[in-house]
Amino acid sequence: MTTKAMGPLAGFRWLMKGINMGRHNPKAVFGGAALILVAALLPTLITMPIQFTLQPGVTGQMLIFAFSIIASMLLLPLVGGYLGLIHASESGRAARATDVFVPYRNGSWLPLVGLGLVLMVAYVLAMVAIAAVAGMDFFSWYMQLMLSAQDGAADPALLDEMPGGLGAALALGFVLWLFLSGVYAISMGQLAIGGRGVLASLGDGFVGGIKNLLPLLVLSLAGLVAVLLFALAMGLLFALVGMLSTMVGSWLLLVIGIPVYIVVLLVTYVVVFGVMYGMWRDVCGGGSVPDAPAEAVTA
């Protein structure tokens, strides 16, 4: 299966695809996203009390990190199932929220986890490439900055002593982030919907990512504008709620803030996965890929 190079405006189209996602079957699309959101929060509910109450040492922190990695890998089959759910919904076929668990039901979860492990190696190699360009001083500075920020605020002295390779590291990191985002979306779509194997899906993802760097750049810029506008709207909303809470009571912030926060997370999941699906459909799917059965998430 060949990958296509799309025009620059395809990035804007992918964003619109994500924003409009769910119009055909909102119950299944938003219900599936809610199930993934709950599954993604469960590991945090386990590790957060340990971090804040027991304050584990270095060994404990490493165990928590390993647990988080394993949990994230086990969540990848849900992503594959959700892409299959979106494909069924967009193709006009029956879909249910619980279709996100299809990979675990039909045994295709293992290739999705395998794909995630290989992509993790790619991310590590990307970090090594950034280190080679920026120098190890950058990573030493970055780790010190992150450690100081854990106490509430970053050390001002560290902010005044930024390493010389910071600009090159940021530029390379941005390009690699664009490229690997495309690789992830395309390869996951190929494995979950396109019927490709792990290595073939990765190959399609890398080739498709290289071919579509320009629309990925447009997508990132359009997404940034959308996020800024959304943040402005949310800021105005909470400013209004804050003024009302001074008259009614601070409980109003919790009553309105928590549901809004959950809705924002839910909509974000739907938009992000909708963008992934739109990218895969344009770059690899097109009209040549037959509609897969609702439970077809093959290796």
Side-chain angles (χ1 to χ4, degrees):
M1 185 179 296
T2 59
T3 56
K4 292 178 285 188
M6 307 304 297
L9 293 181
F12 182 76
R13 185 170 65 249
W14 298 336
L15 179 61
M16 291 299 100
K17 183 78 171 178
I19 293 174
N20 293 325
M21 186 55 59
R23 65 191 186 280
H24 296 307
N25 191 345
K27 182 178 179 181
V29 171
F30 284 91
L35 291 175
I36 296 178
L37 176 60
V38 171
L41 290 176
L42 287 177
T44 303
L45 295 177
I46 296 173
T47 58
M48 188 177 293
I50 297 175
Q51 290 178 310
F52 283 98
T53 60
L54 299 181
Q55 296 182 347
V58 176
T59 302
Q61 291 289 351
M62 292 298 294
L63 290 174
I64 291 174
F65 177 74
F67 173 79
S68 300
I69 293 297
I70 294 172
S72 64
M73 290 296 103
L74 292 177
L75 284 173
L76 281 177
L78 300 185
V79 175
Y82 190 65
L83 289 175
L85 183 157
I86 291 176
H87 187 52
S89 175
E90 292 294 300
S91 303
R93 293 180 285 109
R96 297 170 298 174
T98 53
D99 287 345
V100 297
F101 299 111
V102 163
Y104 283 114
R105 292 203 298 262
N106 67 11
S108 62
W109 63 274
L110 191 57
L112 290 163
V113 172
L115 176 64
L117 290 173
V118 178
L119 287 172
M120 185 184 298
V121 173
Y123 298 148
V124 172
L125 292 177
M127 297 296 291
V128 172
I130 295 173
V133 171
M136 291 308 298
D137 289 342
F138 167 76
F139 276 93
S140 176
W141 170 83
Y142 180 77
M143 292 305 299
Q144 293 179 52
L145 184 66
M146 291 297 101
L147 290 174
S148 67
Q150 289 182 354
D151 298 327
D155 186 352
L158 290 173
L159 296 176
D160 293 334
E161 299 175 359
M162 291 186 290
L166 180 61
L170 291 176
L172 179 59
F174 178 68
V175 173
L176 289 175
W177 172 76
L178 280 181
F179 171 63
L180 291 175
S181 297
V183 172
Y184 178 81
I186 295 169
S187 59
M188 283 295 294
Q190 286 292 75
L191 183 58
I193 311 170
R196 303 278 277 172
V198 173
L199 295 180
S201 297
L202 279 170
D204 293 339
F206 275 91
V207 174
I210 292 173
K211 287 182 178 180
N212 290 278
L213 279 176
L214 188 54
L216 283 168
L217 175 61
V218 173
L219 171 63
S220 67
L221 295 176
L224 176 62
V225 172
V227 168
L228 291 176
L229 292 175
F230 182 76
L232 177 61
M234 294 301 298
L236 293 174
L237 172 63
F238 279 101
L240 177 60
V241 172
M243 288 190 294
L244 292 174
S245 67
T246 58
M247 296 181 289
V248 178
S250 58
W251 58 267
L252 186 63
L253 283 173
L254 293 176
V255 171
I256 295 179
I258 293 176
V260 168
Y261 178 71
I262 294 173
V263 169
V264 168
L265 284 178
L266 190 61
V267 171
T268 300
Y269 270 55
V270 173
V271 172
V272 169
F273 291 125
V275 168
M276 287 176 58
Y277 176 77
M279 188 186 307
W280 168 81
R281 191 82 193 224
D282 274 358
V283 175
C284 296
S288 60
V289 176
D291 292 335
E295 294 202 352
V297 184
T298 56

